[in-house]
Amino acid sequence: MTLTELEAAAIAEKFGRASVDKWEEWGCEISLSNRFGAPGNFVFIYPARGRDENGRRYRIGGNIPILVDMETGRCRFEQPSWKC
């Protein structure tokens, strides 16, 4: 059975909440990525946001996408391959 996008998003959010210490504080929200792809997986991002000293929100970078296997629902963070 293949997961729907909605089912995969719920799994990714649960994984993200358990794995990212400041999920609530940073206001993370799961969204399907339109930039990254991984065959056989849904790829989700979770843009984090902070607040400056005046209370204005800004985006925090460096988030690693969450992959959800379309068949098994297994979650993992994408392992970036850094090449300098």
Side-chain angles (χ1 to χ4, degrees):
M1 180 175 115
T2 301
L3 294 173
T4 67
E5 180 183 323
L6 189 59
E7 292 168 326
I11 292 168
E13 181 168 347
K14 183 177 179 181
F15 177 81
R17 286 180 181 279
S19 303
V20 178
D21 292 338
K22 295 186 178 185
W23 185 273
E24 291 294 327
E25 181 181 334
W26 289 343
C28 296
E29 294 180 4
I30 286 290
S31 63
L32 189 64
S33 174
N34 60 2
R35 290 186 167 179
F36 304 104
N41 295 277
F42 286 102
V43 181
F44 293 96
I45 57 173
Y46 49 99
R49 291 172 176 77
R51 291 194 184 271
D52 66 14
E53 61 278 351
N54 295 317
R56 293 180 297 226
R57 295 183 67 82
Y58 63 91
R59 187 165 175 178
I60 300 169
N63 300 316
I64 300 172
I66 297 173
L67 276 59
V68 179
D69 186 286
M70 292 176 168
E71 298 295 324
T72 67
R74 181 178 169 268
C75 280
R76 65 182 173 89
F77 287 111
E78 174 60 40
Q79 296 301 311
S81 56
W82 304 105
K83 295 182 182 178
C84 297

